[in-house]
Amino acid sequence: MMAHIDHTIESARAEEHNRKARLHKFLSRAEEKNLKLITPVPYDGDCLFSSVISCTKQIGTSNDLRRRLVQFYATNRCHAELKSSIDGTFLTDISQPYKDVQDDRVMRGLCEMLVTNIKVLTFSEVDSTLDLKIGRASCRARGGGGG
């Protein structure tokens, strides 16, 4: 039993180290492109929701935003195309705190619910490129030089 616990602790430490290394690469590459980190958010599975709260000046926590999004889907207020892609498993996943939900439906739902556009900067570890697209988020960045 102790060996299993030791292995689990080591795995968690290795994952934390890998996350920090990826974030460092991301920030270094962003700096090369003259992008500046405005609001750091924890890389904890709630980073997307925390980023959206920060960027859109929403009041509440990442869990509040998750609940609002589930309610938005559940009350059929989203477009039919988006609603048709939603099932119970998806709603369960996005309602769980700290559950890393890397799904385009989350971004589309948030944009629709908040009536805003959300642009996400992503980093490809394969070729060290930065892309602006709808998708995952771990921090918000903007062009430097303007405060």
Side-chain angles (χ1 to χ4, degrees):
M1 179 69 160
M2 287 303 288
H4 175 70
I5 292 171
D6 289 343
H7 175 72
T8 301
I9 291 170
E10 284 303 313
S11 294
R13 286 182 180 148
E15 177 59 26
E16 180 181 8
H17 175 75
N18 289 339
R19 284 181 175 192
K20 286 180 179 179
R22 287 192 303 266
L23 180 59
H24 178 72
K25 281 182 185 179
F26 175 87
L27 293 174
S28 296
R29 189 72 174 126
E31 189 175 304
E32 290 171 12
K33 299 276 188 184
N34 200 30
L35 297 171
K36 177 181 164 187
L37 179 66
I38 296 172
T39 307
V41 295
Y43 191 42
D44 62 0
D46 271 347
C47 49
L48 170 64
F49 294 94
S50 296
S51 294
V52 169
I53 287 170
S54 174
C55 294
T56 60
K57 309 290 190 240
Q58 295 293 306
I59 297 172
T61 66
S62 55
N63 289 334
D64 295 334
L65 188 57
R66 284 176 181 270
R67 281 192 289 276
R68 286 179 53 205
L69 184 59
V70 169
Q71 187 67 25
F72 180 73
Y73 287 132
T75 57
N76 296 314
R77 289 184 289 163
C78 58
H79 284 96
E81 176 190 342
L82 185 55
K83 180 66 178 173
S84 69
S85 70
I86 305 303
D87 60 21
T89 301
F90 175 75
L91 292 177
T92 299
D93 284 348
I94 63 172
S95 67
Q96 295 178 30
Y98 305 108
K99 172 90 172 171
D100 190 1
V101 188
Q102 298 179 11
D103 193 308
D104 189 54
R105 295 174 295 177
V106 173
M107 291 300 296
R108 291 187 345 227
L110 287 169
C111 289
E112 197 172 307
M113 180 181 79
L114 299 172
V115 191
T116 190
N117 292 320
I118 300 172
K119 297 178 181 176
V120 178
L121 192 62
T122 61
F123 177 68
S124 168
E125 291 187 69
V126 175
D127 57 9
S128 295
T129 59
L130 290 173
D131 293 311
L132 189 62
K133 59 177 125 177
I134 299 294
R136 297 171 267 207
S138 61
C139 67
R140 177 179 168 215
R142 72 171 177 206

